[in-house]
Amino acid sequence: MVLVEVSRLALAGPADHSGGARIRLEDALHTEIPDDQRLVLVRRMHLAAGASSPRPGQRQVALRSAWQAATDGARHGTEDGAGGANCVWFSSEAEAEAVLLDLLLRGCAPVGWFWKLAAPGWRTRPVEVWLAELVLAALAPGSEARLALLIERCTLAGAADHLVAALHAAAPQAALVAKPVKDAGWPAAEAGLPQLADLAQTVASRAVGQLAGAVVAALKAMQSQAAGAAAVRAVLRAQVLRVSPALALHPLLLAEIIARADGVLGDGGRSLPRPLAAPSPPAAPQARAAGDVPARTVRAERQITEPQPSEPVRARRAAERPQVPPPPVQATAGPIQAAPADFPIVRPVHSAHAGLWLVVPALSDLGIRSWLRDHPALLGEHPGALLIRALAKRYGCPGDDPALSGLPPYDPDLPYPEWTTLWCRALDRWLRRTARRRIHDLMRRPGKVLWSGEQLLLTYPLAAADICLRRTALDRDPGWTDWLGLSIRYVYSDEPRL
């Protein structure tokens, strides 16, 4: 059921009939308006007399015609002329909040009737007051992604000082985020995780390396504060899960990666947290290869084995070394700020292989989640996206299809791991035995794909509904799929969307 909120409702008719008409109208608004994951704001919608009729058929016709008239000419909140449109939409409430916060931090006055509806917590207050409330709400457990978005918007807008002040004011609530991850029932034999030490270090370095320079600078400045240190851990958790959402299946490994990422962020990796297992004894010097020795070890061995030049030789070499002039320093009027980030307008895109995502319920029934949890060595490479791309390549879906546009890229020249091939074969045989369908039967179904952050909406025509899948409940909405890091939803409809 779609969530509908009405700020003002005007009914024309006898006063004694207003109660029943309002109940019928509220029911019609919740059931007849097309369901959509986006945030749709309508300024005015004129309803015909049949909208409050006791007959459901008349209410359906009246509501649909009024909705189509009200949403005609809808514009995205960042498009020109959005303030004069009767209907404005955003891909989500988080996007509307981020766009408004970006405008306020840059000193721009938001113009448009829709901003008070898109961000009801703003209430035209100063940005410092509103930002403090946003940070306080984002420090709650489970809101790491929202906190990461706030830090990114503030640093890109050159307002990191406002963010640090808000984090300092929210120090008591930040302690909630700083709680260590507890053991979620894992066997005691896995407490050491010795085979995953290298994986934890690799993922931690990759997560920190993907952060923008301005974000890294702001996080380093906040590490020394009580509230900032807790917020940094929350942001790092969101960043690690962005690298590979499947790491949420293994709390111990995720906690270790976050701790190592905190060390990488703090001192550039010079003093990482204590390793999960004791390091193996070093190999004999004659068995080492030059490429296998870390850079710091190579420098130390050279200092011991190579003779050091004398002082006159070093002075002569320094005089013979060509002098490279330093780059010119350009004077600036003030601190350099990053350019405003573009907010892409998200719209549904037609895909000839939208049926690829119909395999997600079948994979869940096959136990992909528990299998990945039992193979933690695969969790650092986003195994869910890797399996979906392997399925697409195996059954003829091009790599640039819109159905794959929201997944991380993969080098087409590299072979896929062997475990993806085994899962493709097992899934195909299981579908044939369970629903009398093959993977290529599902993949060739066209539809519209809408990527919006962590949400994926797939719209198929009514004719694409398959009774074999429906009978075995394999066309159900997957919802939040943690091993993919996506909230997936299926819609069967022939009605056009905004």
Side-chain angles (χ1 to χ4, degrees):
M1 180 182 293
V2 61
L3 177 61
V4 179
E5 296 182 3
V6 179
S7 299
R8 180 182 178 186
L9 176 63
L11 297 175
D16 54 347
H17 294 172
S18 60
R22 179 175 179 176
I23 293 176
R24 291 190 295 268
L25 184 58
E26 290 178 353
D27 180 71
L29 288 173
H30 285 93
T31 57
E32 301 302 334
I33 291 181
D35 197 358
D36 201 327
Q37 289 185 329
R38 291 176 290 181
L39 175 63
V40 182
L41 308 170
V42 178
R43 192 173 190 177
R44 295 186 182 89
M45 186 169 68
H46 299 281
L47 302 175
S52 59
S53 173
R55 299 182 180 181
Q58 293 183 0
R59 294 202 304 265
Q60 179 180 3
V61 173
L63 258 297
R64 288 193 176 182
S65 60
W67 178 258
Q68 292 177 0
T71 57
D72 187 23
R75 293 180 178 272
H76 190 267
T78 59
E79 287 183 307
D80 295 336
N86 188 65
C87 178
V88 176
W89 62 273
F90 295 91
S91 59
S92 62
E93 295 181 6
E95 186 202 23
E97 184 180 273
V99 173
L100 178 58
L101 181 62
D102 189 77
L103 290 175
L104 295 175
L105 290 175
R106 298 181 187 281
C108 301
V111 179
W113 58 268
F114 53 88
W115 287 118
K116 294 182 180 180
L117 300 177
W122 171 43
R123 300 195 297 274
T124 66
R125 294 177 298 171
V127 64
E128 296 82 2
V129 180
W130 185 44
L131 179 60
E133 290 187 1
L134 293 178
V135 170
L136 184 62
L139 285 175
S143 302
E144 293 86 2
R146 185 180 181 185
L147 181 60
L149 181 61
L150 288 176
I151 291 181
E152 181 180 1
R153 301 316 312 164
C154 292
T155 51
L156 291 179
D161 51 344
H162 296 319
L163 180 65
V164 174
L167 289 171
H168 181 72
Q173 288 73 12
L176 298 176
V177 185
K179 289 183 178 180
V181 180
K182 297 182 179 179
D183 190 353
W186 296 93
E190 288 191 357
L193 303 177
Q195 72 279 12
L196 301 180
D198 294 338
L199 173 64
Q201 174 59 39
T202 302
V203 177
S205 302
R206 188 190 314 163
V208 176
Q210 291 182 2
L211 289 172
V215 179
V216 171
L219 294 180
K220 287 183 178 180
M222 290 187 294
Q223 274 186 327
S224 60
Q225 301 183 4
V232 167
R233 301 279 291 195
V235 175
L236 291 178
R237 186 179 191 276
Q239 181 65 17
V240 169
L241 291 178
R242 192 175 302 172
V243 172
S244 181
L247 287 169
L249 302 177
H250 205 302
L252 289 179
L253 179 59
L254 177 60
E256 177 65 22
I257 294 175
I258 296 172
R260 289 174 176 259
D262 194 19
V264 172
L265 180 67
D267 54 17
R270 290 189 297 273
S271 59
L272 290 172
R274 187 175 181 179
L276 291 168
S280 57
Q286 60 271 16
R288 287 182 176 176
D292 298 333
V293 184
R296 284 188 294 175
T297 306
V298 172
R299 289 197 296 270
E301 291 180 354
R302 287 178 179 175
Q303 291 176 3
I304 296 173
T305 58
E306 294 182 0
Q308 298 297 324
S310 60
E311 185 67 27
V313 175
R314 288 199 298 267
R316 179 171 52 84
R317 290 180 179 177
E320 295 176 354
R321 189 179 299 117
Q323 300 294 328
V324 180
V329 179
Q330 297 180 356
T332 57
I336 301 177
Q337 298 182 1
D342 295 332
F343 291 89
I345 300 175
V346 184
R347 296 187 184 275
V349 182
H350 181 270
S351 171
H353 301 83
L356 166 66
W357 290 97
L358 290 173
V359 303
V360 174
L363 287 172
S364 300
D365 291 348
L366 269 176
I368 182 66
R369 187 178 185 273
S370 58
W371 185 84
L372 288 175
R373 189 176 61 179
D374 295 337
H375 296 78
L378 304 177
L379 297 180
E381 299 295 334
H382 204 333
L386 197 62
L387 179 56
I388 295 297
R389 283 195 173 273
L391 283 167
K393 183 177 181 180
R394 183 179 180 87
Y395 291 94
C397 178
D400 57 350
D401 191 273
L404 304 174
S405 60
L407 296 178
Y410 187 78
D411 190 352
D413 298 331
L414 294 178
Y416 285 90
E418 183 180 1
W419 67 268
T420 60
T421 303
L422 298 177
W423 266 97
C424 291
R425 294 174 181 174
L427 177 62
D428 192 63
R429 289 195 299 265
W430 187 85
L431 282 173
R432 178 169 51 86
R433 293 194 306 265
T434 305
R436 293 182 296 174
R437 289 292 183 267
R438 307 294 293 268
I439 295 180
H440 61 79
D441 296 331
L442 304 182
M443 187 172 299
R444 296 175 183 175
R445 302 188 180 193
K448 291 184 178 181
V449 182
L450 176 62
W451 291 91
S452 177
E454 296 179 346
Q455 297 179 352
L456 173 59
L457 178 64
L458 300 152
T459 305
Y460 302 101
L462 289 176
D466 194 330
I467 188 61
C468 292
L469 297 179
R470 180 61 54 88
R471 185 166 47 217
T472 53
L474 291 179
D475 61 347
R476 65 185 185 272
D477 282 345
W480 174 252
T481 309
D482 51 3
W483 55 275
L484 276 170
L486 290 173
S487 178
I488 307 174
R489 186 183 176 207
Y490 306 144
V491 175
Y492 292 87
S493 174
D494 292 331
E495 297 181 358
R497 294 182 176 267
L498 300 180

